């Protein structure tokens, strides 16, 4: 158990809808990362927050947004969903902004029909 | 320049065999090369990592070999066991910050009893 909690584990929704994925980092970790894993694809970095502030942005679509709250949990919001957004979304945390080891949650599997 | 190419896509070995997974990179600025292991239904977990000042690093049955001039690194699993069956991702970054990690596409390893 990595200590990172993600909810929901599975989510099925329709195109055009909006969903929110939630992540609670390991106790004491200030940095949260979001990654997308599609079929036959590696892990694509989406966005990073550190202690409530956005620190880095990767290949995140404009339809997607995220935030980190004062209690350090984070939410990833996906809107105007398309079929191609179906993927596993992972949250990871680390102690500092630049840390060698990421601790991943078990992921949220999103299926867009 | 940011790509990390990983091969093979899948690998089947017998128990006791030595699977080898290879990765190649282009960006000579990369200086941190971790391997992550992912079991079905779980998030990736750091297995072993190397920096380019050494050519080999061993942790238990897992060894990373690093060839800086060829811009290649590989993972060897000695005396492989069925419990090693998982997907393995190589990654690379400049610095060890998670926002800069570029992951390979993964290798699905099956170790037959």
């Amino acid at each position: 158990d990595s200590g990172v909690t993600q909810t929901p584990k599975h989510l099925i929704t329709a195109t055009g809808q909006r969903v929110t994925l939630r992540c609670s980092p390991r106790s004491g970790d200030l940095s949260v990362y979001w990654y997308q894993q599609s079929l036959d694809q590696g892990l694509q970095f989406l966005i990073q927050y550190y202690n409530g502030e956005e620190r880095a942005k990767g290949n995140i679509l404009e339809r997607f947004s995220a935030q980190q709250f004062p209690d350090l949990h984070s939410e990833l919001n996906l809107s105007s969903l398309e079929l191609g957004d179906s993927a596993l979304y992972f949250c990871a945390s680390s102690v500092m902004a630049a840390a060698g080891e990421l601790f991943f949650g078990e992921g949220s599997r999103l299926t867009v029909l | 320049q940011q790509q990390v190419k990983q091969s093979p896509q899948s690998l089947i070995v017998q128990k006791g065999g030595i699977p080898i997974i290879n990765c190649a990179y282009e960006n000579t600025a990369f200086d941190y090369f971790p391997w992550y292991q992912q079991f079905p239904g779980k998030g990736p977990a750091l297995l072993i990592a190397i920096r380019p000042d050494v050519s080999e690093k061993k942790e238990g049955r897992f060894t990373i070999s690093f060839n800086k001039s060829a811009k290649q690194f590989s993972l060897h699993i000695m005396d492989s066991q069925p419990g090693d069956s998982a997907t393995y991702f190589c990654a690379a970054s400049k610095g060890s910050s998670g926002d800069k990690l570029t992951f390979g596409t993964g290798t699905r390893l099956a170790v037959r009893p």
Side-chain angles (χ1 to χ4, degrees):
Chain A
D1 183 5
S2 68
V4 177
T5 303
Q6 288 188 248
T7 57
K9 289 194 184 302
H10 302 277
L11 193 54
I12 301 174
T13 189
T15 54
Q17 296 298 304
R18 182 179 190 274
V19 298
T20 297
L21 309 180
R22 183 188 167 103
C23 169
S24 293
R26 287 191 324 157
S27 177
D29 285 359
L30 300 178
S31 202
V32 169
Y33 308 77
W34 286 96
Y35 285 85
Q36 180 191 58
Q37 184 179 32
S38 303
L39 207 62
D40 295 329
Q41 294 289 318
L43 291 150
Q44 302 292 320
F45 168 69
L46 295 178
I47 197 164
Q48 177 199 3
Y49 280 82
Y50 177 72
N51 203 19
E53 300 289 327
E54 181 184 303
R55 188 175 188 274
K57 235 174 185 177
N59 300 319
I60 188 166
L61 300 171
E62 284 192 11
R63 300 184 285 108
F64 297 180
S65 65
Q67 54 184 326
Q68 186 179 28
F69 295 86
D71 67 352
L72 300 178
H73 91 271
S74 177
E75 292 181 357
L76 179 67
N77 301 296
L78 315 175
S79 61
S80 303
L81 285 168
E82 301 174 359
L83 296 177
D85 297 327
S86 296
L88 257 175
Y89 291 86
F90 284 104
C91 168
S93 71
S94 64
V95 174
M96 298 183 297
E101 182 170 5
L102 299 182
F103 294 87
F104 283 83
E106 295 190 350
S108 293
R109 181 173 292 280
L110 172 66
T111 302
V112 182
L113 301 176
Chain B
Q1 265 229 329
Q2 295 299 316
Q3 266 192 320
V4 176
K5 295 183 180 178
Q6 183 172 348
S7 63
Q9 190 173 3
S10 62
L11 190 54
I12 301 173
V13 300
Q14 292 297 125
K15 178 183 172 183
I18 306 175
I20 301 172
I21 304 170
N22 300 298
C23 285
Y25 63 97
E26 290 294 325
N27 190 344
T28 55
F30 285 153
D31 61 1
Y32 176 66
F33 303 89
W35 285 87
Y36 278 79
Q37 179 188 54
Q38 184 180 21
F39 292 106
K42 301 293 184 182
L46 180 66
L47 185 63
I48 186 172
I50 196 169
R51 294 196 182 271
D53 51 344
V54 296
S55 59
E56 185 177 281
K57 183 174 181 180
K58 191 175 294 187
E59 286 187 6
R61 294 183 295 107
F62 299 91
T63 299
I64 299 180
S65 297
F66 185 81
N67 186 329
K68 189 174 181 178
S69 60
K71 291 185 287 185
Q72 295 175 348
F73 57 111
S74 59
L75 177 70
H76 298 62
I77 305 176
M78 308 303 288
D79 186 28
S80 59
Q81 302 296 313
D84 296 328
S85 298
T87 299
Y88 293 82
F89 293 95
C90 63
S93 69
K94 180 177 182 305
S96 56
S97 175
D99 64 304
K100 296 180 176 59
L101 271 176
T102 299
F103 283 89
T105 50
T107 296
R108 187 172 292 182
L109 172 66
V111 181
R112 302 286 190 231

